[in-house]
Amino acid sequence: MKPTFRCGLLAAIVAVLAPGTAAAWAPAGSAAVHPGVMTFTDGAQCTSNFVFQDSGGTYLGQAAHCSGTGGQTETNGCDSGSLPIGTPVEIDGASRPGTLVYNSWLEMQADGETNADTCAYNDLALIKIDPADVGSVNPSVPGFGGPTGLGPSSAMLGDTVYTYGNSSLRFGVSKLSPKQGVVVQGQGNGWSRDVYTATPGIPGDSGSGFLSGSGQAIGVLSTVQLAPLAGSNGVGDLRSEVNWMHAHSSFSGVQLVNGTEAFNPDLVGAIGGA
């Protein structure tokens, strides 16, 4: 016999379980934890990118290299060292540390990944937010709103993009955090894009998220480029990174959470609201 639900009961269940529903999140204006908050992994600072969720928990994304144990030039995830899964990660605004639960570098090494582009550009990690802090989370990107979904892996050459960096090297000047840029080059057979912004990402911005002109989440800040385009930023392709995670790890059900706030690509407004 097929199970039946009263409409009101079914609606209540959906409201509780569906990622991205406004009822599940703290108000965007007062949420203590959101995309763009700083994370500290064994003292190394990075900027979180987006909120993710599955049946097992709520997560903040950061770059895999944020838990790296080698030098800044070690960017090949298939042979670079990393702190282990289970490492505590301090999250600005959270009352308790989160936990590193997925790291693409560690997973690639465990799987024996050999594709050169994947090794060079697959740079995503997930921090599980302590259940005590989930009620303080909102998935909207400060200033711009969104994301409106997971973007495509197309090169998007010439397209305008938006990002929110939060390095402590800006000494708390939040108006320098929202930025607009342009995609100038593809890299790694779809695994990465080179992006110029008015002010390039700096140490501490690593891991911050990039949005397309329609508010879709498209990338994660991975590197500051010295060549061939000095001053540009290498932005890993988020769809490729998420697809790889789904295919190679136990986090096959993790999904990006859309923002509760409408996307608004108004840089002046984003700066004014920062």
Side-chain angles (χ1 to χ4, degrees):
M1 183 174 67
K2 293 183 178 179
T4 58
F5 296 93
R6 292 182 182 273
C7 292
L9 176 60
L10 180 58
I13 292 172
V14 171
V16 171
L17 297 181
T21 53
W25 308 106
S30 59
V33 180
H34 52 76
V37 297
M38 296 300 297
T39 61
F40 299 87
T41 311
D42 196 30
Q45 65 166 308
C46 280
T47 299
S48 61
N49 45 67
F50 302 107
V51 174
F52 299 82
Q53 197 173 48
D54 66 5
S55 61
T58 302
Y59 313 92
L60 270 181
Q62 72 170 16
H65 76 259
C66 294
S67 59
T69 56
Q72 293 184 356
T73 59
E74 291 191 17
T75 58
N76 186 317
C78 291
D79 59 21
S80 297
S82 171
L83 295 169
I85 297 300
T87 296
V89 180
E90 299 291 332
I91 302 171
D92 266 3
S95 64
R96 301 180 184 181
T99 304
L100 182 68
V101 294
Y102 169 78
N103 181 292
S104 61
W105 284 15
L106 293 173
E107 195 67 48
M108 288 192 296
Q109 292 170 27
D111 284 12
E113 179 64 63
T114 58
N115 181 278
D117 292 326
T118 308
C119 290
Y121 298 110
N122 189 11
D123 191 13
L124 178 67
L126 295 180
I127 305 161
K128 185 173 183 180
I129 299 170
D130 191 282
D133 289 306
V134 170
S136 300
V137 176
N138 184 280
S140 304
V141 177
F144 296 117
T148 60
L150 184 61
S153 291
S154 57
M156 301 172 58
L157 297 181
D159 283 5
T160 300
V161 294
Y162 303 88
T163 185
Y164 187 91
N166 203 17
S167 173
S168 64
L169 296 179
R170 292 190 178 86
F171 302 104
V173 183
S174 60
K175 293 186 183 300
L176 297 177
S177 292
K179 293 183 287 184
Q180 177 178 314
V182 61
V183 179
V184 293
Q185 180 173 277
Q187 293 271 25
N189 293 306
W191 270 98
S192 184
R193 303 174 180 91
D194 289 340
V195 174
Y196 273 125
T197 54
T199 55
I202 59 177
D205 285 343
S206 288
S208 53
F210 277 72
L211 300 169
S212 71
S214 61
Q216 292 180 311
I218 60 166
V220 174
L221 178 61
S222 184
T223 60
V224 176
Q225 305 289 72
L226 299 178
L229 298 173
S232 66
N233 290 132
V235 178
D237 182 70
L238 184 60
R239 179 171 289 276
S240 295
E241 292 171 329
V242 169
N243 285 348
W244 195 95
M245 174 179 67
H246 286 169
H248 295 270
S249 78
S250 61
F251 292 91
S252 58
V254 166
Q255 300 295 327
L256 174 83
V257 179
N258 289 349
T260 62
E261 304 303 295
F263 174 66
N264 182 4
D266 176 10
L267 181 62
V268 174
I271 292 172

